Amino acid sequence: MSETAGFSELDCTFMKRALALAERGIYTTLPNPAVGCVIVKKNEIIGEGWHHRAGEPHAEVMALKDAGVRHQDVKGSTAYVTLEPCSHYGRTPPCAVGLVNSGISRVVAAMKDPNPLVSGRGFRILEEAGVSVSFGLYENEARELNRAFFHSIVTGMPYVTVKYGMSIDARVALSNGESKWITSEEARHDVQRMRARHQAVLSSANTVLKDDPSLNVRWQELPSEVRELFPADPGFLPLRIIIDASCVITFNENLFRCPGAIMVVRIGDSDLVKSEIISDSITVLKVPAAFDNPAHISFRHLFRYLNSINVRNVMIEAGRGLVSDIVRHGMAHEIVFYVAPKIMGADAVSAFNALHLSSMNDVPELFISDVSRCGPDVRITCRFKEMSCLQE
């Protein structure tokens, strides 16, 4: 059945506007979802808003406030919202109650909230107050917009995206280790946009010692439309996570001189995850060893801990060793390949280590969700097939 079945052309127009508003929050709302709201009366928009950041008013409140600024009476109007209005008291009051109190007579939502704290309760509050409720309009678009949030809520694990720059023959470095720069300046600027959309960027001690990166967001390299939405404020920089199982990080590396929080992850001596605050910006996290390799950390323990502190998505920027481990353990959900039109040859370093597969049935399968250009390079976004269930 079509997503638009049962809805009018005007319903579609106003929900598209709500989705466009929601998208303005994708760089700042996590750990909350990005949500947009449009209030319509007599087929005209009388108020609109979106959720700007966690702890601030939700989209519905912003839209009602906008209607007030416009001196519009919202009684009898329709609210188009990209996600079921919340029903619980958190840092802000429940939006479902606010809509009821405003006198709105109809709510059209793109989808039901999978969050167990909501999940239909918001709709019930509205319906019990006599508000007409319908949902499912452009649900796929709304689900895609908050893919990381929904995955985190449903699975208890953050959504993990691997970023990989490589040649067209899948090589990531020359045989002597040289890798700067395989991809173009345009691709590297696009990586800044990716970092801005993530709450955490994860790398390895080997990569830090070899490349001495900062791993933060270089605000001046962001596209102008992203700079309008992503504040030049250290508080919005992603958490930088460094896997240091061999304890080789000295804390004198370049990234420790750059603004933003850093978490150094090492192997602990218990089955529990333990954290030690080193300074205002540095934490050392002790994580159990992997069950199949006592020299490696358990990614499952690490990612569950990150989810427990409301880190919804993680971007992996590392060499093939760490990337291959994450893929082999089924911890990656998406890989974004930046492919340069260059041939580096069989003597260059391949993109992945041996995965030790003995059957084609064990080969990880992906599907291509997007292909686009970044200057001379091609950006290919691939998702693992077992993740496709989150689209439904």
Side-chain angles (χ1 to χ4, degrees):
M1 181 180 292
S2 167
E3 282 189 301
T4 60
F7 295 97
S8 70
E9 186 175 339
L10 282 173
D11 287 337
C12 295
T13 297
F14 294 132
M15 185 59 77
K16 285 180 180 178
R17 175 59 183 165
L19 286 165
L21 289 168
E23 196 167 359
R24 296 181 64 83
I26 59 175
Y27 297 98
T28 54
T29 59
L30 286 172
N32 287 359
V35 180
C37 179
V38 172
I39 299 174
V40 174
K41 192 171 186 178
K42 296 180 180 178
N43 296 333
E44 291 187 2
I45 294 175
I46 62 171
E48 59 182 27
W50 70 94
H51 184 38
H52 288 227
R53 61 191 67 174
E56 294 188 2
H58 289 184
E60 298 91 327
V61 175
M62 297 297 289
L64 290 170
K65 182 179 179 181
D66 183 48
V69 170
R70 300 187 194 196
H71 305 292
Q72 296 290 332
D73 181 4
V74 302
K75 290 181 180 178
S77 62
T78 296
Y80 294 86
V81 61
T82 58
L83 185 64
E84 175 184 357
C86 65
S87 59
H88 61 287
Y89 284 88
R91 284 187 278 186
T92 59
C95 292
V97 173
L99 290 173
V100 167
N101 292 339
S102 74
I104 279 175
S105 62
R106 181 182 179 225
V107 170
V108 179
M111 62 178 292
K112 182 185 290 188
D113 193 337
N115 186 343
L117 292 173
V118 184
S119 194
R121 293 182 179 89
F123 290 153
R124 284 198 293 274
I125 289 172
L126 293 166
E127 289 173 331
E128 288 171 0
V131 177
S132 170
V133 173
S134 54
F135 66 95
L137 179 59
Y138 294 129
E139 179 173 352
N140 288 340
E141 287 85 346
R143 192 175 293 276
E144 178 65 25
L145 188 67
N146 289 299
R147 170 173 286 270
F149 173 81
F150 297 141
H151 175 83
S152 169
I153 289 293
V154 170
T155 68
M157 299 280 274
Y159 189 86
V160 177
T161 297
V162 175
K163 185 278 293 183
Y164 228 176
M166 64 184 191
S167 65
I168 203 166
D169 56 342
R171 305 290 158 168
V172 295
L174 296 175
S175 57
N176 62 6
E178 184 179 347
S179 61
K180 291 186 176 180
W181 296 101
I182 295 174
T183 55
S184 65
E185 183 177 4
E186 292 92 337
R188 296 194 294 276
H189 286 183
D190 195 63
V191 169
Q192 298 303 311
R193 178 193 57 79
M194 277 190 66
R195 286 181 184 172
R197 289 193 64 164
H198 284 78
Q199 287 179 278
V201 174
L202 184 149
S203 192
S204 67
N206 286 341
T207 296
V208 170
L209 296 179
K210 175 177 173 289
D211 298 336
D212 204 21
S214 63
L215 296 175
N216 59 8
V217 177
R218 295 189 288 275
W219 190 84
Q220 69 279 6
E221 293 183 17
L222 293 171
S224 58
E225 65 272 16
V226 177
R227 291 200 299 268
E228 292 178 6
L229 303 173
F230 185 79
D233 178 344
F236 284 91
L237 292 173
L239 169 67
R240 289 164 293 170
I241 304 170
I242 309 303
I243 306 300
D244 185 28
S246 301
C247 299
V248 295
I249 290 293
T250 66
F251 298 93
N252 294 317
E253 290 78 16
N254 177 50
L255 77 165
F256 292 100
R257 296 189 293 273
C258 299
I262 301 172
M263 180 181 288
V264 177
V265 182
R266 292 172 169 167
I267 298 174
D269 55 5
S270 75
D271 293 332
L272 301 175
V273 175
K274 299 179 180 179
S275 64
E276 178 185 357
I277 297 174
I278 303 299
S279 70
D280 289 344
S281 61
I282 303 171
T283 300
V284 171
L285 194 71
K286 297 292 184 69
V287 174
F291 74 92
D292 58 346
N293 190 334
H296 291 186
I297 67 143
S298 165
F299 287 112
R300 188 166 298 279
H301 279 85
L302 171 61
F303 290 141
R304 287 204 179 280
Y305 173 79
L306 292 175
N307 196 76
S308 75
I309 60 171
N310 286 330
V311 174
R312 308 288 191 196
N313 61 0
V314 178
M315 178 179 172
I316 310 296
E317 289 198 68
R320 68 174 187 168
L322 179 58
V323 168
S324 299
D325 267 356
I326 287 175
V327 170
R328 186 166 59 85
H329 286 92
M331 294 286 105
H333 307 112
E334 179 175 282
I335 304 181
V336 178
F337 294 100
Y338 290 89
V339 183
K342 299 174 181 178
I343 297 173
M344 297 171 64
D347 58 333
V349 179
S350 64
F352 293 92
N353 281 344
L355 297 180
H356 306 292
L357 305 172
S358 57
S359 167
M360 286 300 296
N361 292 330
D362 298 328
V363 174
E365 285 194 73
L366 301 93
F367 66 95
I368 297 173
S369 63
D370 180 70
V371 179
S372 55
R373 294 293 296 266
C374 282
D377 303 334
V378 177
R379 184 185 67 209
I380 305 174
T381 302
C382 301
R383 291 175 179 161
F384 287 85
K385 284 197 172 181
E386 57 266 29
M387 294 301 302
S388 62
C389 61
L390 290 181
Q391 296 184 5
E392 300 172 359

